[in-house]
Short mmCIF file of all heavy atoms in Angstrom, two decimals:
data_model
loop_
_atom_site.label_atom_id
_atom_site.label_comp_id
_atom_site.label_asym_id
_atom_site.label_seq_id
_atom_site.Cartn_x
_atom_site.Cartn_y
_atom_site.Cartn_z
N ALA A 216 180.84 56.75 213.50
CA ALA A 216 181.16 57.61 212.28
C ALA A 216 181.46 59.00 212.85
O ALA A 216 182.24 59.74 212.21
CB ALA A 216 179.92 57.61 211.44
N LEU A 217 180.83 59.33 214.02
CA LEU A 217 181.04 60.73 214.51
C LEU A 217 182.30 60.66 215.42
O LEU A 217 182.33 61.40 216.40
CB LEU A 217 179.72 61.13 215.24
CG LEU A 217 178.48 61.23 214.54
CD1 LEU A 217 177.31 61.62 215.40
CD2 LEU A 217 178.67 62.24 213.38
N GLY A 218 183.29 60.06 215.06
CA GLY A 218 184.52 59.92 215.66
C GLY A 218 185.56 59.38 214.72
O GLY A 218 186.70 59.95 214.53
N LEU A 219 185.27 58.28 214.06
CA LEU A 219 186.18 57.69 213.01
C LEU A 219 185.96 58.32 211.67
O LEU A 219 186.61 57.96 210.66
CB LEU A 219 186.03 56.20 213.03
CG LEU A 219 186.58 55.46 214.31
CD1 LEU A 219 186.32 54.02 214.13
CD2 LEU A 219 188.01 55.74 214.54
N GLY A 220 184.89 59.02 211.52
CA GLY A 220 184.62 59.63 210.10
C GLY A 220 183.82 58.73 209.20
O GLY A 220 182.66 59.08 208.89
N GLN A 221 184.40 57.74 208.78
CA GLN A 221 183.71 56.79 207.85
C GLN A 221 183.91 55.43 208.43
O GLN A 221 185.05 54.95 208.63
CB GLN A 221 184.32 56.88 206.42
CG GLN A 221 184.30 58.26 205.82
CD GLN A 221 184.48 58.20 204.37
OE1 GLN A 221 183.62 58.58 203.64
NE2 GLN A 221 185.73 57.76 204.00
N VAL A 222 182.74 54.78 208.61
CA VAL A 222 182.79 53.38 209.15
C VAL A 222 181.89 52.52 208.37
O VAL A 222 181.01 52.95 207.60
CB VAL A 222 182.42 53.29 210.61
CG1 VAL A 222 183.36 54.16 211.46
CG2 VAL A 222 181.02 53.64 210.90
N TYR A 223 182.07 51.16 208.42
CA TYR A 223 181.01 50.28 207.99
C TYR A 223 180.90 49.02 208.97
O TYR A 223 181.92 48.63 209.61
CB TYR A 223 181.34 49.73 206.46
CG TYR A 223 182.66 48.95 206.46
CD1 TYR A 223 182.40 47.59 206.23
CD2 TYR A 223 183.79 49.48 206.51
CE1 TYR A 223 183.49 46.69 205.98
CE2 TYR A 223 184.95 48.59 206.40
CZ TYR A 223 184.83 47.10 206.21
OH TYR A 223 185.92 46.52 206.00
N THR A 224 179.77 48.45 208.98
CA THR A 224 179.58 47.21 209.63
C THR A 224 179.27 46.16 208.61
O THR A 224 178.80 46.48 207.48
CB THR A 224 178.30 47.13 210.58
OG1 THR A 224 177.05 47.20 209.78
CG2 THR A 224 178.24 48.55 211.42
N PHE A 225 179.43 44.88 208.97
CA PHE A 225 179.10 43.78 208.04
C PHE A 225 178.89 42.65 208.99
O PHE A 225 179.83 41.99 209.41
CB PHE A 225 180.23 43.64 207.07
CG PHE A 225 179.96 42.52 206.00
CD1 PHE A 225 180.83 42.10 205.10
CD2 PHE A 225 178.62 41.88 205.94
CE1 PHE A 225 180.58 41.27 203.95
CE2 PHE A 225 178.35 40.91 205.07
CZ PHE A 225 179.37 40.69 204.05
N GLY A 226 177.65 42.38 209.39
CA GLY A 226 177.30 41.41 210.30
C GLY A 226 175.95 40.93 210.24
O GLY A 226 175.03 41.38 209.50
N PRO A 227 175.59 39.89 211.12
CA PRO A 227 174.35 39.38 211.18
C PRO A 227 173.24 40.34 211.65
O PRO A 227 173.47 40.99 212.61
CB PRO A 227 174.41 38.09 211.91
CG PRO A 227 175.57 38.27 212.69
CD PRO A 227 176.40 39.24 212.02
N THR A 228 172.09 40.36 211.12
CA THR A 228 170.94 41.06 211.77
C THR A 228 169.73 40.18 211.78
O THR A 228 169.62 39.16 211.00
CB THR A 228 170.68 42.46 210.95
OG1 THR A 228 170.55 42.06 209.67
CG2 THR A 228 171.60 43.45 211.18
N PHE A 229 168.73 40.42 212.60
CA PHE A 229 167.59 39.56 212.90
C PHE A 229 166.33 40.30 212.85
O PHE A 229 166.17 41.35 213.48
CB PHE A 229 167.84 38.97 214.30
CG PHE A 229 169.24 38.28 214.52
CD1 PHE A 229 170.31 39.23 214.82
CD2 PHE A 229 169.53 37.06 214.16
CE1 PHE A 229 171.52 38.57 214.98
CE2 PHE A 229 170.63 36.49 214.41
CZ PHE A 229 171.77 37.26 214.59
N ARG A 230 165.38 39.73 212.21
CA ARG A 230 163.99 40.24 212.08
C ARG A 230 162.91 39.28 212.20
O ARG A 230 162.84 38.19 211.61
CB ARG A 230 163.82 41.02 210.78
CG ARG A 230 164.87 42.03 210.55
CD ARG A 230 164.49 43.29 210.12
NE ARG A 230 165.55 44.20 210.02
CZ ARG A 230 165.60 45.29 209.31
NH1 ARG A 230 164.67 45.57 208.38
NH2 ARG A 230 166.68 46.06 209.26
N ALA A 231 162.09 39.39 213.32
CA ALA A 231 161.12 38.51 213.55
C ALA A 231 159.76 38.86 212.84
O ALA A 231 158.76 38.84 213.45
CB ALA A 231 160.87 38.35 215.12
N GLU A 232 160.06 39.22 211.53
CA GLU A 232 158.81 39.55 210.69
C GLU A 232 158.27 38.33 210.12
O GLU A 232 159.04 37.41 209.58
CB GLU A 232 159.19 40.58 209.71
CG GLU A 232 160.27 40.38 208.81
CD GLU A 232 160.54 41.54 207.93
OE1 GLU A 232 159.64 42.33 207.54
OE2 GLU A 232 161.72 41.61 207.54
N ASN A 233 157.05 38.07 210.15
CA ASN A 233 156.51 36.69 209.65
C ASN A 233 156.32 36.74 208.13
O ASN A 233 155.26 36.58 207.66
CB ASN A 233 155.12 36.50 210.30
CG ASN A 233 154.88 34.92 210.29
OD1 ASN A 233 155.61 34.13 209.71
ND2 ASN A 233 153.85 34.61 210.89
N SER A 234 157.44 37.02 207.44
CA SER A 234 157.35 37.15 205.94
C SER A 234 157.86 35.85 205.28
O SER A 234 158.99 35.70 205.29
CB SER A 234 158.11 38.30 205.48
OG SER A 234 157.71 39.57 205.98
N ASN A 235 157.04 35.17 204.68
CA ASN A 235 157.39 33.87 203.96
C ASN A 235 157.58 34.23 202.50
O ASN A 235 156.69 33.72 201.70
CB ASN A 235 156.36 32.78 204.12
CG ASN A 235 156.97 31.71 204.89
OD1 ASN A 235 157.97 31.33 204.66
ND2 ASN A 235 156.24 31.22 205.88
N THR A 236 158.51 35.05 202.16
CA THR A 236 158.78 35.40 200.79
C THR A 236 160.16 34.87 200.20
O THR A 236 160.99 34.34 200.96
CB THR A 236 158.70 36.88 200.57
OG1 THR A 236 159.97 37.36 200.95
CG2 THR A 236 157.54 37.54 201.39
N SER A 237 160.38 35.11 198.94
CA SER A 237 161.57 34.70 198.39
C SER A 237 162.69 35.78 198.62
O SER A 237 163.87 35.70 198.10
CB SER A 237 161.44 34.41 196.91
OG SER A 237 161.01 35.61 196.23
N ARG A 238 162.42 36.76 199.42
CA ARG A 238 163.32 37.87 199.61
C ARG A 238 163.60 38.11 201.08
O ARG A 238 164.29 39.11 201.38
CB ARG A 238 162.89 39.23 198.97
CG ARG A 238 162.58 39.02 197.48
CD ARG A 238 162.18 40.35 196.99
NE ARG A 238 161.03 40.96 197.61
CZ ARG A 238 161.25 42.16 198.14
NH1 ARG A 238 162.21 42.91 198.00
NH2 ARG A 238 160.17 42.57 198.93
N HIS A 239 162.87 37.43 201.93
CA HIS A 239 163.03 37.74 203.44
C HIS A 239 163.67 36.48 204.26
O HIS A 239 163.20 35.37 203.96
CB HIS A 239 161.63 37.94 204.05
CG HIS A 239 161.16 39.21 203.62
ND1 HIS A 239 160.35 39.49 202.53
CD2 HIS A 239 161.36 40.49 204.20
CE1 HIS A 239 160.12 40.80 202.60
NE2 HIS A 239 160.68 41.47 203.46
N LEU A 240 164.49 36.87 205.12
CA LEU A 240 165.11 35.90 206.05
C LEU A 240 164.94 36.45 207.48
O LEU A 240 164.90 37.71 207.61
CB LEU A 240 166.56 35.72 205.76
CG LEU A 240 166.98 34.92 204.51
CD1 LEU A 240 168.51 35.10 204.28
CD2 LEU A 240 166.63 33.46 204.63
N ALA A 241 164.90 35.59 208.58
CA ALA A 241 164.81 35.97 209.84
C ALA A 241 166.15 36.33 210.30
O ALA A 241 166.28 37.09 211.23
CB ALA A 241 164.18 34.87 210.61
#
Side-chain angles (χ1 to χ4, degrees):
L217 299 178
L219 290 179
Q221 301 193 117
V222 300
Y223 69 104
T224 71
F225 187 177
T228 48
F229 308 86
R230 304 226 173 153
E232 50 185 334
N233 201 359
S234 302
N235 244 316
T236 79
S237 58
R238 308 180 310 124
H239 286 91
L240 290 166

